[in-house]
Amino acid sequence: MLTPMDKPPPLEPLPEDWTRALAVVAHPDDMEFGSAAAVARWTGQGKEVVYCMVTSGEAGIDSMHPEECRSVREAEEIESARIVGVDTVEFLHQPDGVLEYGVPLRREITAVIRRHRPEIVITGNFQDRFGMGMLNQADHIATGKAVIDAVRDAGNRWVFPEQLSNGVEPWGGVRQVWVGGSPDAAHGVDTTDTFDKGVASLAAHKAYIDGLGWENWDPREFLEGFGRQVGQRMGVAFATGFEVYQIKWEG
Ligand SMILES: [Zn+2]
């Protein structure tokens, strides 16, 4: 029997008083499995969102060699980003499937943060599991942990100082890191008005979805299931959840 304790708590809306965000995720498709509709909402408000893919997802299609797959998946990501109003997609070309958390990865991500100077950084769940006990994947865990560190590295002029030339300065202006797909989300974004764009941006990963070989899998149905559940926690039709890491003290 359901008791009031079983009901997931309401989600706090994320702040929207910012202008620049940077999303750093491991693979093309990571933003599209839940967060893209929120991105469409923000770009629709005139905010700038930049995507950075740590890998090109080149090891993601069993029937396609990574050499060919890399360009297919980069093209799909650029298109799915365009659909939600993101014009800049960078690829760090780190090796898909075997990413390692450590100083080299932090260095790569720090350089991107220093160049784009975002107020908000978005990444994906880096806990061992998603909700419902589903195991997370090694690249996601490495990327998320490195993103949190890189946000702090970016503000310290004595960390990776070789990056500070040609006008690149330290950047300590990241206010918060928002983690999509986290089982500990306490914040959410109402995506009701931009839900269709989120669906279209996931559907743009056609070669990838075909390659998964999930029979009759429908991007809309998939996103609706999660979107509705999260929406209930905000009193709206559809929403997506984020865990917030406060970086800057805001009194
Ligand atoms: Zn992924």
Side-chain angles (χ1 to χ4, degrees):
M1 208 177 93
L2 275 179
T3 71
M5 289 297 289
D6 296 316
K7 206 176 152 215
L11 296 174
E12 188 87 19
L14 280 177
E16 294 187 329
D17 60 339
W18 51 273
T19 55
R20 280 194 319 281
L22 167 69
V24 183
V25 292
H27 311 117
D29 78 68
D30 286 357
M31 289 300 289
E32 289 72 39
F33 273 98
S35 300
V39 171
R41 172 184 170 103
W42 297 323
T43 59
Q45 295 168 341
K47 305 184 197 309
E48 187 197 357
V49 181
V50 167
Y51 279 6
C52 171
M53 304 288 124
V54 176
T55 81
S56 297
E58 69 273 12
I61 304 180
D62 187 60
S63 59
M64 196 184 284
H65 192 279
E67 282 310 310
E68 184 192 352
C69 191
R70 178 177 293 114
S71 55
V72 168
R73 299 212 62 199
E74 287 186 2
E76 288 188 341
E77 182 58 32
I78 289 166
E79 172 60 11
S80 68
R82 189 195 60 77
I83 290 167
V84 295
V86 173
D87 301 325
T88 305
V89 185
E90 296 191 0
F91 296 90
L92 297 182
H93 296 128
Q94 300 301 299
D96 184 20
V98 290
L99 278 186
E100 284 180 313
Y101 167 73
V103 170
L105 186 54
R106 282 166 52 187
R107 180 183 287 117
E108 293 280 341
I109 297 170
T110 298
V112 179
I113 294 169
R114 284 173 169 168
R115 270 191 291 110
H116 289 289
R117 305 168 76 81
E119 300 152 80
I120 302 295
V121 170
I122 299 158
T123 191
N125 178 30
F126 54 93
Q127 297 189 32
D128 291 343
R129 289 167 193 271
F130 288 100
M132 300 168 301
M134 239 185 60
L135 271 184
N136 202 348
Q137 193 264 356
D139 290 349
H140 300 157
I141 297 169
T143 297
K145 286 169 71 176
V147 164
I148 298 286
D149 290 341
V151 161
R152 281 177 299 195
D153 297 338
N156 185 333
R157 71 173 60 256
W158 309 118
V159 176
F160 312 134
E162 72 282 1
Q163 293 175 355
L164 303 174
S165 62
N166 299 322
V168 176
E169 296 285 336
W171 176 248
V174 177
R175 292 160 51 187
Q176 295 184 334
V177 177
W178 295 347
V179 180
S182 167
D184 295 328
H187 289 73
V189 179
D190 177 357
T191 54
T192 308
D193 293 341
T194 51
F195 188 80
D196 288 346
K197 286 187 178 174
V199 171
S201 81
L202 178 55
H205 291 276
K206 198 180 171 319
Y208 178 66
I209 291 168
D210 288 350
L212 290 172
W214 297 339
E215 230 167 291
N216 299 323
W217 185 81
D218 179 49
R220 177 174 296 274
E221 241 170 67
F222 176 87
L223 290 174
E224 273 183 6
F226 284 104
R228 258 206 203 94
Q229 268 180 21
V230 182
Q232 281 177 359
R233 297 173 65 186
M234 297 189 83
V236 298
F238 295 115
T240 190
F242 290 90
E243 183 182 6
V244 171
Y245 283 77
Q246 189 71 37
I247 305 296
K248 257 192 148 154
W249 177 252
E250 293 175 43

